Amino acid sequence: MTNSPAAGPVPPPGCPAHAAPAEAGGATGSRAAVPMYGPEFADDPHGAYARMRATFGPIAPVELSPGVYASLVTSYQLGLEILRDTERFAKDPRGWRAVQDGTVGLDNPVAPMMMYRPNALFSDGEAHARLRGAITDSLDRVDPHALSEYVERSAETLIDAFASRGRAELITEYASVLPLLVFNQLFGARPADGPKLVETMMKLFDSGEDAAAANDELLRWISGLVAEKREHLAADVTSWLIAHPSQLADEELMQQIILLMAAGTDPQQNLITNALRLLLSDDRFAGELSGGSMPVQDALDEVLWNDPPMANYGTRFPRYDCEVAGVRLRKGDPVLISYAAANHEAALASDRRSGNRAHLAWSAGAHRCPAERPARVIASVAIERLLDRLPDMELAVPAEQLTWRTGPFHRALAALPVRFPAQAAAPAEPFTASVSKSAPFDESPGGSQWNPVPSSSTPPAVTSSERQPESQQAARRRLLSFLTAWWRGQ
């Protein structure tokens, strides 16, 4: 939190988290606050959660980035209570005290993930209901069976790009690209924008020094997309949002699209890769990978319990000073829910492969993720097609040598290298599929059709990060060359 010692709360007797006001995570930079932004936390978050519980109980003082303090809830029951409590806790972050008093600037690395945006995630009451209604109504127009078919064909295309090599880096060549192929079509975006959008989203979720610039770049891109769709409505989620009876303004449209894109790209990538890591490294799944969909569904459930893509989020702001679980929370100081810690606590004595889906990975209450169904379809089909095509695939390095991206919010692998017996890649063919539930687009609530393969002949711009090894740059160039031909219908 961001309290100064003079303004700190009176500590409850014997509470180790409040031995002195500054030690609750005050503006003075308390040593008690647990840092969540470095490699030590990324390497062993569950160890950090266990230490937090042992030291502070169910609510711990944490530091999200240098000088940005919050409280982290590690208890399942308490997390569920706070997520459902709209009387004491607001989603709207405009009351964030540290931003109001200038302690935290909007250029802070974590600000793009926590600051106010006029979207459904950061709104309360009637505003939230109106914006969420536009999102859910638009997503409901997507046919899940057609979506599954499109994901499957897209997955086949990506696998063809590396199947003959006998090795791949599954994040840059598969898991980060597949959601973009899908979401580019869902939102009617240009294929050429895909690679840059992946890079921008990853910078936002990493919450590093590039996050603010990435946020500005994303806003410019979405603004262009909205302007283009207002001129040429089509059968896509962007156009459906524009035509929705709620009559969203341009800024509102941009922010709902940013919300959906953010939820459907980096977290989707993490869900796919975390499940693949589990399937390829855990002996419990050995011999089951080609035995049908159940092992994949089991792996997804276990990842959502233990290593959810968004491990710490669900940010809330107390509407007034209040006491929760013996800890004094001050008005406007952020409270985050550790989905990962809460889930782990609740599942310690349960079988997480039994289909139990009472985890908090999709959040809970009024702000529960509205895209759970399509997210699960995309992840399960992506994993099943990869394992069906490459059943002898294995990790190229021991699982314990895999590294995790730093950042307080997500649980994200930095790379997932694999090897497998090389096989000939089948030629890709353009295809047409309907992804909506009814007739051609007519601006009215109902349905439409589209051709999932863009007609543009503009090749994707090849973009790469200077920090990537040459082998990853070469792999991405090969992949983009392959996708260019596919997008052109060659």
Side-chain angles (χ1 to χ4, degrees):
M1 291 182 286
T2 55
N3 310 346
S4 66
V10 177
C15 178
H18 295 82
E23 291 183 3
T28 57
S30 165
R31 293 182 180 179
V34 179
M36 296 177 60
Y37 49 83
E40 182 178 353
F41 177 78
D43 289 343
D44 184 22
H46 283 291
Y49 302 143
R51 291 188 292 273
M52 289 182 202
R53 284 199 197 95
T55 305
F56 302 108
I59 304 179
V62 294
E63 192 176 17
L64 302 177
S65 72
V68 182
Y69 297 95
S71 296
L72 186 73
V73 175
T74 60
S75 161
Y76 181 92
Q77 290 299 331
L78 185 58
L80 194 59
E81 175 187 331
I82 290 175
L83 290 171
R84 292 173 171 172
D85 188 345
T86 59
E87 178 183 343
R88 289 186 297 172
F89 295 95
K91 277 292 292 180
D92 189 330
R94 284 177 289 187
W96 188 358
R97 193 158 57 89
V99 171
Q100 290 182 337
D101 66 19
T103 304
V104 173
L106 294 181
D107 59 348
N108 190 280
V110 300
M113 292 289 291
M114 296 178 64
M115 70 183 186
Y116 173 74
R117 302 174 189 266
N119 66 28
L121 182 63
F122 294 119
S123 301
D124 297 299
E126 293 182 3
H128 169 255
R130 170 174 169 268
L131 297 174
R132 185 181 174 93
I135 288 175
T136 55
D137 289 347
S138 298
L139 291 179
D140 282 347
R141 296 177 70 171
V142 177
D143 185 333
H145 301 292
L147 174 62
S148 177
E149 179 186 350
Y150 183 74
V151 175
E152 182 173 339
R153 293 295 299 271
S154 300
E156 292 284 357
T157 299
L158 297 176
I159 296 166
D160 284 343
F162 56 74
S164 62
R165 295 206 317 268
R167 58 181 172 81
E169 199 292 286
L170 290 181
I171 292 181
T172 58
E173 297 187 78
Y174 191 68
S176 69
V177 187
L178 182 56
L180 254 296
L181 288 177
V182 176
F183 272 79
N184 271 2
Q185 299 307 320
L186 287 175
F187 288 89
R190 295 183 296 269
D193 294 341
K196 189 64 177 177
L197 188 57
V198 171
E199 182 181 354
T200 300
M201 288 296 186
M202 290 181 72
K203 289 178 180 178
L204 278 176
F205 281 89
D206 284 345
S207 299
E209 59 184 12
D210 298 328
N215 182 64
D216 292 340
E217 188 170 358
L218 182 62
L219 286 170
R220 287 193 295 271
W221 182 83
I222 297 291
S223 177
L225 177 65
V226 169
E228 180 179 325
K229 291 297 174 181
R230 280 205 181 276
E231 293 294 323
H232 305 285
L233 289 174
D236 51 57
V237 173
T238 305
S239 298
W240 295 337
L241 285 168
I242 290 172
H244 193 268
S246 59
Q247 298 183 329
L248 302 179
D250 278 0
E251 175 68 10
E252 292 176 324
L253 282 165
M254 289 171 56
Q255 294 299 337
Q256 308 327 299
I257 294 169
I258 288 174
L259 173 60
L260 289 171
M261 285 258 182
T265 50
D266 199 80
Q268 187 76 57
Q269 165 191 311
N270 299 340
L271 179 57
I272 293 170
T273 53
N274 291 358
L276 283 169
R277 169 185 171 272
L278 181 64
L279 284 161
L280 296 174
S281 63
D282 194 316
D283 290 342
R284 292 173 299 157
F285 295 94
E288 298 182 0
L289 300 187
S290 60
S293 62
M294 187 56 67
V296 171
Q297 298 302 325
D298 289 343
L300 287 173
D301 285 334
E302 186 153 333
V303 163
L304 290 167
W305 274 106
N306 212 33
D307 283 313
M310 293 301 291
N312 307 291
Y313 206 45
T315 311
R316 298 293 192 273
F317 295 85
R319 298 179 186 273
Y320 47 83
D321 291 0
C322 58
E323 185 173 299
V324 176
V327 176
R328 187 72 171 173
L329 301 176
R330 296 195 61 191
K331 176 182 178 181
D333 283 346
V335 178
L336 274 66
I337 310 301
S338 178
Y339 303 138
N343 288 345
H344 191 66
E345 177 198 54
L348 285 177
S350 69
D351 180 0
R352 279 163 279 165
R353 297 182 65 197
S354 64
N356 182 355
R357 295 177 182 175
H359 53 72
L360 298 180
W362 308 109
S363 192
H367 286 84
R368 182 182 173 89
C369 176
E372 175 182 344
R373 183 179 65 174
R376 193 165 183 117
V377 168
I378 294 169
S380 60
V381 174
I383 295 168
E384 288 163 9
R385 292 312 304 151
L386 183 65
L387 296 179
D388 284 346
R389 280 287 304 273
L390 305 172
D392 297 320
M393 182 172 58
E394 62 183 13
L395 293 177
V397 299
E400 58 271 17
Q401 292 183 17
L402 295 173
T403 59
W404 300 88
R405 288 160 51 196
T406 58
F409 305 116
H410 57 202
R411 183 62 169 159
L413 284 166
L416 188 61
V418 295
R419 59 190 174 215
F420 44 84
Q423 58 178 242
E429 297 180 0
F431 67 100
T432 301
S434 171
V435 296
S436 65
K437 293 183 177 178
S438 61
F441 182 78
D442 62 2
E443 296 190 33
S444 63
S448 62
Q449 297 178 342
W450 75 42
N451 178 350
V453 179
S455 60
S456 171
S457 61
T458 305
V462 178
T463 60
S464 60
S465 169
E466 295 180 357
R467 293 175 289 182
Q468 289 182 314
E470 180 59 28
S471 60
Q472 291 189 14
Q473 293 181 8
R476 177 165 286 184
R477 284 195 295 271
R478 283 193 295 271
L479 173 66
L480 292 176
S481 176
F482 189 90
L483 289 176
T484 299
W486 182 55
W487 278 322
R488 287 177 173 176
Q490 298 175 355

